[in-house]
Amino acid sequence: MPIRPATFPRAQGWLRWALVAVPMVAAMPRADALTWSLIGVTLALSLPLPWIHDAVLRPPMTALTLALIASTGALWVLHPGSWASVAMFSTTFFVVLKQSTVPIVLAIALDAGVITTWAARHDLWDDALSTYAVLAVIVLMALNRRARLARVEQTELALARAQTANEEHARAAALAERARIARELHDVLAHSLAGLSLNLQGARLMLVRDGASPDAVAQIERAQALAADGLAEARQAVAALREDAVGVERAIADLLAAYRLDTGARADLAVEGEPRELAPAVGTALVRAVQEALANTRKHAAQAEVDVTLGYAGGSVELTVADRQGRRPPDAAAAGYGLRGMGERVALLDGRLDSGPGEDGWRIHLTVPA
């Protein structure tokens, strides 16, 4: 079961922020009114940097990074001897590393414009060529790093898929063996016990007809009851082997693992309370709810992160599925067949289902008696 990632910024995030903040602090001793304004804007824009971990940033973060390049570039043009160029180039490296083609092109164009303005303002055209070369090296380094990270991710994904395939093969082999044992139990033991029960029934009727002693009839009835119990247990064993019952937590974790492999987005399960065995109908309702919620997320919010919480209370089980779209989704015009079917299944269990948009995505919450 995956563990939720820590929300505290990572070391790379702090380094990314420091490469912007330190040059701003260094520029403060020589700052005039305009410089102070640029420093304040840049520091304000840099505050979210430690918390950015997306593979491809959402539009607000894209605008933020481009604004950072513009503000640090303007400060560098005003004070060519400052470290503002470090902040500008480090932010460019991050944009090329993390973002899509259009933001990358815009960032490079901004850098080229800043360098051209810097050279024209201070008549440093001889140094402009080397600065363009520095920009090219930074872009190439970021592209190389990006390609390496993509190769590592593809390798990890291939290994995960291979492991999943191996597990599925092992599972299929185990299911085939269980099915073979179930057939043997059904064809041999269950049939034999059924025949024994019928013969004992006939023997009891013959003893009653012939006026046998009550003790003899009672012994036959006890033997018949034992045969019937054995037949019922054999049928239960066959059903258990055929069903291959899987725990609710494991089934939900498998669904989330498949979602992560398909989309590359984070999908975590948190279990609250003490897990316990649930009725088959309850377990099916919970698993089907997660399955339907993930299908809707794939359809309406591709690559959204998903958080699933399974809580065991005193006499009920609560399930919450929330996708993190980064914005409030529009209200659905009408519930689809999937949500309606989920609601009907929960209603049959005397449970309650709530679904609708939240602050940053769609949320489904259901409670069923356990």
Side-chain angles (χ1 to χ4, degrees), residues 55-346:
V56 177
L57 301 184
R58 298 187 178 95
M61 294 298 101
T62 300
L64 180 143
T65 52
L66 293 177
L68 266 176
I69 292 175
S71 64
T72 54
L75 185 60
W76 182 50
V77 170
L78 291 176
H79 299 279
S82 68
W83 289 5
S85 60
V86 174
M88 182 182 74
F89 287 136
S90 66
T91 307
T92 302
F93 181 90
F94 176 62
V95 171
V96 177
L97 180 65
K98 292 288 186 180
Q99 301 210 25
S100 56
T101 304
V102 173
I104 292 174
V105 172
L106 291 175
I108 295 174
L110 269 175
D111 286 328
V114 167
I115 294 171
T116 303
T117 304
W118 167 79
R121 179 183 174 87
H122 302 285
D123 194 20
L124 295 172
W125 293 106
D126 292 339
D127 296 332
L129 184 60
S130 61
T131 310
Y132 286 127
V134 170
L135 174 61
V137 169
I138 288 173
V139 172
L140 290 175
M141 288 174 61
L143 290 174
N144 181 66
R145 175 68 175 171
R146 181 177 182 138
R148 182 179 179 278
L149 290 175
R151 288 194 299 270
V152 170
E153 184 178 352
Q154 290 298 322
T155 301
E156 291 177 349
L157 186 60
L159 289 174
R161 286 175 174 167
Q163 183 177 358
T164 301
N166 290 335
E167 290 176 354
E168 289 300 323
H169 287 314
R171 184 180 176 83
L175 287 175
E177 181 62 16
R178 289 166 67 110
R180 185 190 68 79
I181 296 173
R183 287 194 300 271
E184 294 295 328
L185 283 174
H186 181 269
D187 296 341
V188 178
L189 181 59
H191 284 175
S192 299
L193 288 173
L196 176 61
S197 181
L198 289 174
N199 285 332
L200 288 171
Q201 173 71 6
R204 187 184 67 83
L205 293 175
M206 291 174 62
L207 289 174
V208 171
R209 182 197 63 187
D210 296 340
S213 67
D215 290 340
V217 174
Q219 289 288 346
I220 293 296
E221 288 177 346
R222 281 194 293 271
Q224 186 182 1
L226 289 173
D229 291 341
L231 179 60
E233 291 177 358
R235 285 173 176 166
Q236 289 177 1
V238 170
L241 288 168
R242 289 285 189 186
E243 274 189 37
D244 185 41
V246 177
V248 173
E249 297 88 353
R250 170 64 188 274
I252 294 176
D254 288 345
L255 289 175
L256 295 178
Y259 179 86
R260 286 194 298 273
L261 288 175
D262 289 345
T263 65
R266 178 182 64 80
D268 294 337
L269 169 64
V271 179
E272 299 175 352
E274 186 65 28
R276 58 181 179 271
E277 187 175 356
L278 301 174
V282 174
T284 300
L286 295 173
V287 174
R288 291 290 179 266
V290 175
Q291 192 173 26
E292 178 63 26
L294 292 178
N296 289 337
T297 299
R298 285 187 177 96
K299 182 178 179 181
H300 300 291
Q303 295 185 338
E305 299 177 349
V306 177
D307 289 313
V308 178
T309 303
L310 182 64
Y312 292 88
S316 63
V317 180
E318 295 185 4
L319 176 72
T320 302
V321 184
D323 58 38
R324 310 299 183 187
Q325 303 178 23
R327 58 179 174 80
R328 181 181 178 84
D331 293 330
Y337 292 112
L339 280 176
R340 269 187 274 177
M342 189 192 306
E344 292 169 357
R345 186 180 289 112
V346 171

Side-chain angles (χ1 to χ4, degrees), residues 22-32 35-36 39 79 82:
V22 171
M24 297 303 103
V25 174
M28 288 179 180
R30 296 177 296 168
D32 53 20
T35 303
W36 274 112
I39 291 173
H79 299 279
S82 68

